[in-house]
Amino acid sequence: MTAPAAVHARGRALDKKRAALAVLLPAAVLLALTTRPWATGASGDVLSQAVTQVSGSAAAPGVVGLLAVCVVALLGLMTGGRVIRAVSAIVLVLASLGALVMTVLVALRPVATVAEAVARELGRTTAPAATGSTTAWAWLGVVAALLLVVGATLTAASSRSWAGLSSRYERGQKPASGPRGEVRTTWDELSDGRDPTLDNDSDET
């Protein structure tokens, strides 16, 4: 890649703040939409003839879990090293695609959604005959899931240019190196007849 092309690619990449918004905002909207009815209809069963409204969380319970996976994967992208970012990027994109597929299936299959909800309500293994229609909330959920996929894809592509956490977040100090560059431990100091605690006391004084 030439220098102008590399600069242009970096210009299109999202920074961490914008990437977080690109993922968290549609994920939050989709999560809120799962509380709304995605399908409405009625069953011909004599035990359940009333109008049935099926919420998004009931129609596609896996969506909520996949949204949680997206958040965890985003956290790995923000704080992890190169390998963790690569794995988190794949998980983020796959989880967002899974949420989109589940949402689209509910929107395209309202009759089956209502029938399955009635079967669960009656405790049956087979779904009864039913009528159903998709609500506007379901289609809004499809739009939110699609935006989540776009945001996850852009975030995954942009994460290749990100850096991990600064070294100030690492706990403790690195052990001193030996004459050949090998790491010296407290056990090595004791084996040489030195008391490392005395060195710490002298440093404090």
Side-chain angles (χ1 to χ4, degrees), residues 49-191:
Q49 294 182 342
V51 175
T52 300
Q53 291 186 337
V54 187
S55 65
S57 58
V63 170
V64 177
L66 289 175
L67 291 178
V69 173
C70 288
V71 174
V72 174
L74 178 64
L75 181 61
L77 281 174
M78 296 294 179
T79 60
R82 186 182 301 272
V83 176
I84 294 179
R85 287 202 305 269
V87 175
S88 299
I90 296 174
V91 173
L92 176 61
V93 173
L94 291 179
S96 62
L97 286 174
L100 175 61
V101 170
M102 289 185 179
T103 306
V104 170
L105 287 178
V106 173
L108 295 179
R109 299 168 59 247
V111 175
T113 299
V114 173
E116 292 171 0
V118 173
R120 288 193 300 268
E121 181 182 353
L122 298 178
R124 296 182 178 179
T125 57
T126 58
T131 60
S133 60
T134 304
T135 66
W137 299 111
W139 292 116
L140 289 176
V142 172
V143 175
L146 183 59
L147 292 176
L148 176 61
V149 172
V150 174
T153 304
L154 292 176
T155 298
S158 302
S159 65
R160 291 178 294 181
S161 61
W162 294 349
L165 288 178
S166 173
S167 58
R168 67 176 179 270
Y169 294 101
E170 297 179 359
R171 295 187 300 174
Q173 298 179 350
K174 294 182 179 180
S177 299
R180 297 181 180 176
E182 66 271 13
V183 177
R184 300 282 297 176
T185 64
T186 304
W187 182 258
D188 294 329
E189 296 292 334
L190 292 174
S191 300

